[in-house]
């Protein structure tokens, strides 16, 4: 799975300024299109901003609901793509091409299959 993290303040500035929004979205569209055209994508979705999150915890058997993400961070998870590639090097190659790799981070993590999914 490729997980795309971006700096929240920088992303807001890029999306809010017309002269920066075009190149920002163009880079993402080109990257996502390349992923899909290569045939490696199994699933992927962009995520709503962290402010749209709701976090649930159980403490003493009681459900506690918090609006927003678990922790305030400078980087936000913006989306993910599950890919099927032959090895870690191929996954790292795709991760390095993502726009978030140059102004945030792209995390590569193997997907663990549940015993019932084998």
């Amino acid at each position: 799975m490729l997980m795309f993290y971006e700096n929240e303040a920088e992303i807001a500035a890029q999306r809010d300024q017309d002269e920066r929004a075009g190149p920002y979205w163009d880079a993402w569209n080109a990257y996502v299109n390349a992923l899909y055209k290569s045939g490696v994508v199994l699933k992927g979705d962009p995520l709503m901003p962290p402010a749209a999150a709701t976090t649930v915890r159980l403490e003493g058997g009681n459900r506690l609901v918090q609006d927003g993400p678990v922790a305030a961070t400078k980087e936000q998870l913006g989306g993910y793509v599950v890919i099927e590639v032959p090895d870690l090097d191929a996954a790292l190659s795709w991760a390095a091409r993502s726009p978030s790799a140059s102004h945030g981070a792209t995390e590569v993590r193997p997907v663990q299959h549940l015993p019932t999914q084998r």
Side-chain angles (χ1 to χ4, degrees):
M1 175 182 283
L2 305 179
M3 293 175 281
F4 308 112
Y5 292 89
E6 299 179 301
N7 180 288
E8 192 168 359
E10 184 175 324
I11 295 311
Q14 288 184 10
R15 292 178 181 172
D16 293 342
Q17 297 175 12
D18 288 340
E19 66 274 5
R20 293 180 72 188
Y24 171 81
W25 289 116
D26 289 347
W28 274 109
N29 287 331
Y31 176 69
V32 170
N33 285 334
L35 274 168
Y36 275 92
K37 283 181 183 178
S38 75
V40 299
V41 175
L42 299 178
K43 169 107 177 96
D45 292 295
L47 301 174
M48 297 297 289
T54 302
T55 302
V56 178
R57 298 176 190 268
L58 288 177
E59 289 187 16
N62 295 316
R63 183 176 74 173
L64 302 175
V65 178
Q66 170 189 329
D67 290 336
V70 172
T73 63
K74 292 183 180 182
E75 291 182 341
Q76 65 182 24
L77 177 61
Y80 72 95
V81 175
V82 178
I83 60 175
E84 186 170 37
V85 291
D87 53 34
L88 178 60
D89 287 337
L92 293 174
S93 177
W94 279 110
R97 293 172 60 183
S98 76
S100 63
S102 64
H103 57 267
T106 301
E107 181 179 343
V108 177
R109 190 183 305 184
V111 174
Q112 182 174 355
H113 297 285
L114 298 173
T116 58
Q117 294 177 322
R118 292 177 196 240

